Each structure stands twice: as C-alpha cells, then as structure tokens.
C-alpha cells in the first residue's frame, strides 16, 4: 500500500510541476493601470480599499468569495438543478454532503458567508451580549455589532506581533476567555466565534490542541463553539505540517477531528 501523503494537487495527480490539473475556459478583461493611476485612485479613496472603484483594481485581494471561476461541473450542475419551490433534490444532495464531510446534523444554505453571519447574529445575539473571538473578520464583527453585541478579542498575544514565529498564532488564549466568562457570566455569551486561519492576523492557523482545549473549557461553562470555516482546509494543512502527531494524517481526517470539537460552522 502506498502510504505517501500527497500535499499538492500536482502530487495527487502524479505531476511533477506545481501546475494545477485544470484549465480555465473563460476570461474577463480587466483594466491595466499605471503606478501613477493607482496612487491617484488610492488617494481619492482615502486609502480605504472599500472605497476604491473595482475598475481601478488590477489584482483584487479583498475577497475570493463568489469572484473566482466555476468549474465545468459546477456550470453543468446549474443546468441539472432542480428548481422546485420546495423539496428540491439538490437541497438533499447538499445536505447529504454536509452531513458526510462535516458531521453537522442541520444545514441552512446561504449565498455567501456574510449572509450566514447575518442570520446567525440576528438569531443568537441580543443587545448587551459579548462575543469572544480569535480576532475578527470585518463582516463577522459588523453583524455581531449590528445585532447589539460587543466583540471581545481573545486571541493569543503573539498574533498581534507580526514578527513572532509562533506556529499557531490563531490560537485562542484560554485564560483571556475564562477571565471574560468570569467577568460577564455565561448568560451574556451566546457562543465563541472561532475562525480557522485568522484573516486579520494574516491567515494564522489554530492548532488541534487549542481547539480541543477550547471545547473542554466551553463544555465546562456550557458555551457553544461556532466555527468560521473559511480556509479550514489550509488550517488543516498547517496542522499536518506543524503539529506533532498529524504529519501522516490525511487532511480530511484532520478536518473531521477539528469539526468534532465545534458545535456548528
Ligand atoms: C474569515 C472570513 N469570514 C467571513 C467571510 C465572509 O464571507 P463572504 O465573502 O462569502 O461573505 C470571509 C470572506 O472573505 C472571510 O475571509
């Protein structure tokens, strides 16, 4: 049996180069700007990337959500889609896949992450509540605050130091979290908002040991752990690379163990 753990798509498909095993069939022309034009656009936007016009942006790193190319199978899937008003077979197909790969029992499809954040925040946060998180993502925090909550940063201090080489700078500082719980009381904390590969810290991962310890602490106080699963595959890759005992575990098994310490995503 071949026990090699393949790390890239190229390796999985037996290719020597890093090249991805697909071709992109559609192109969208974009404007080529000069250095001077970009400087002018940035100045006019007050150096706020949210106020830039997209026509002035050549490489857009603000989000990849819904902006990237779809595969031929995704496009074909749209044509095969069951548009029934209720009971659509595609819903059951998606639900089955979520149960199989994530292990969560219930699922609500949303069009994008920010839509999910809105529903979750409206449903669970009441004015006066506190929502601890390992730093925050812009729209996540916004929806928490619009619902009347207060975000509290409980990430480890190392995350705030860009030069620090800690391997898991996305980790939750359990002492900070417990201090908050003791100060505020469990009734005012609807859940812990945990994110893999913390965006604001530059994509820093959370270790398995940390999420496991977080689960134990939250069980003690009966507080759910909700995961922002954006880039969790990358988080699992960092666990495989950096955490003892995971070098030979496939990414899917690492992911399944990680989800098992969370209540939902
Ligand atoms: C960590 C994180 N959470 C939430 C979101 C929001 O997701 P979406 O762009 O699908 O609304 C993003 C988007 O980039 C993200 O990086």
């Amino acid at each position: 049996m071949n026990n090699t753990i393949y790390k890239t798509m190229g390796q999985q498909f037996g290719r020597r180069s890093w090249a991805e095993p697909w071709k992109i069939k559609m192109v969208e022309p974009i404007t080529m700007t000069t250095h001077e034009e970009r400087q002018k656009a940035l100045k006019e936007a007050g150096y706020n990337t949210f106020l830039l016009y997209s026509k002035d942006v050549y490489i857009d790193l603000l989000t990849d959500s819904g902006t990237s190319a779809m595969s031929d199978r995704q496009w074909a899937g749209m044509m095969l889609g069951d548009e029934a008003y209720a009971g659509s077979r595609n819903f059951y197909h998606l639900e089955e896949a979520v149960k199989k790969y994530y292990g969560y029992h219930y699922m609500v499809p949303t069009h994008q992450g920010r839509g999910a954040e809105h529903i979750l925040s409206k449903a669970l946060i009441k004015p006066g509540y506190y929502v601890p998180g390992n730093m925050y993502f812009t729209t996540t925090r916004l929806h928490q605050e619009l619902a009347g909550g207060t975000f509290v940063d409980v990430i480890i201090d190392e995350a705030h130091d860009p030069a620090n080489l800690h391997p898991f700078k996305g980790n939750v500082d359990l002492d900070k979290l417990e201090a908050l719980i003791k100060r505020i009381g469990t009734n005012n904390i609807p859940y812990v908002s945990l994110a893999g590969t913390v965006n604001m810290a530059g994509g820093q991962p959370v270790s398995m040991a940390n999420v496991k310890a977080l689960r134990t602490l939250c069980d003690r106080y009966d507080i759910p752990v909700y995961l922002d699963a954006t880039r969790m595959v990358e988080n699992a890759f960092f666990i495989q690379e950096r955490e003892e005992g995971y070098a030979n575990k496939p990414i899917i098994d690492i992911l399944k163990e990680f989800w098992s310490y969370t209540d939902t995503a």
Side-chain angles (χ1 to χ4, degrees):
M1 201 178 118
N2 181 358
N3 288 324
T4 314
I5 299 284
Y6 296 113
K7 298 208 166 143
T8 66
M9 293 290 276
Q11 286 168 356
Q12 284 177 33
F13 286 86
R15 295 176 185 217
R16 273 172 300 146
S17 82
W18 50 266
E20 303 290 11
W22 59 73
K23 54 185 172 185
I24 295 170
K25 292 188 204 173
M26 194 158 36
V27 291
E28 176 187 342
I30 46 177
T31 317
M32 305 285 284
T33 54
T34 63
H35 187 76
E36 288 69 33
E37 284 166 344
R38 290 194 293 276
Q39 276 188 325
K40 186 166 171 279
L42 277 168
K43 195 169 175 204
E44 281 170 8
Y47 300 97
N48 179 345
T49 51
F50 282 89
L51 297 181
L52 279 171
Y53 294 104
S54 103
K55 70 173 177 50
D56 294 327
V57 179
Y58 180 56
I59 299 176
D60 184 353
L61 300 176
L62 195 54
T63 185
D64 53 357
S65 179
T67 66
S68 48
M70 300 220 303
S71 73
D72 49 0
R73 286 175 202 202
Q74 285 172 315
W75 281 110
M78 275 173 66
M79 293 297 119
L80 292 171
D82 176 3
E83 300 292 346
Y85 202 66
S88 158
R89 67 175 170 270
N90 298 96
F91 173 83
Y92 297 109
H93 183 217
L94 178 60
E95 187 184 47
E96 201 182 297
V98 168
K99 279 186 182 169
K100 180 172 169 194
Y101 293 105
Y102 292 78
Y104 301 126
H105 292 294
Y106 303 102
M107 182 210 53
V108 179
T110 57
H111 69 294
Q112 276 183 311
R114 62 204 84 163
E117 288 163 345
H118 179 70
I119 294 171
L120 189 72
S121 302
K122 279 278 180 196
L124 296 172
I125 300 171
K126 294 203 175 88
Y129 278 10
Y130 289 77
V131 188
N134 53 344
M135 269 191 196
Y136 64 90
F137 181 68
T138 47
T139 58
T140 315
R141 179 170 173 175
L142 176 78
H143 284 116
Q144 291 168 356
E145 291 180 351
L146 285 175
T150 302
F151 157 78
V152 184
D153 188 9
V154 293
I155 204 164
I156 57 172
D157 288 339
E158 287 87 338
H160 292 279
D161 174 6
N164 192 295
L165 294 180
H166 190 292
F168 291 103
K169 283 163 75 175
N171 281 355
V172 172
D173 184 326
L174 300 175
D175 292 336
K176 280 186 199 169
L177 177 59
E178 194 161 21
L180 176 77
I181 297 170
K182 286 188 173 151
R183 187 160 58 84
I184 304 300
T186 51
N187 288 343
N188 294 321
I189 302 178
Y191 56 91
V192 172
S193 181
L194 178 74
T197 64
V198 180
N199 207 301
M200 283 284 158
Q204 296 292 330
V206 177
S207 72
M208 194 71 86
N210 186 250
V211 68
K212 200 172 172 182
L214 176 67
R215 173 82 267 162
T216 306
L217 179 71
C218 287
D219 276 348
R220 193 164 351 121
Y221 291 100
D222 204 16
I223 298 172
V225 177
Y226 287 3
L227 176 70
D228 180 333
T230 318
R231 290 176 300 276
M232 266 309 297
V233 173
E234 288 82 347
N235 199 104
F237 173 75
F238 282 119
I239 290 174
Q240 195 186 54
E241 288 279 296
R242 300 178 179 176
E243 193 161 353
E244 214 184 311
Y246 289 93
N248 294 316
K249 271 211 170 161
I251 294 290
I252 183 67
D253 291 349
I254 296 175
L255 284 170
K256 283 182 174 168
E257 184 183 341
F258 203 103
W259 317 133
S260 76
Y261 301 128
T262 67
D263 292 279
T264 194

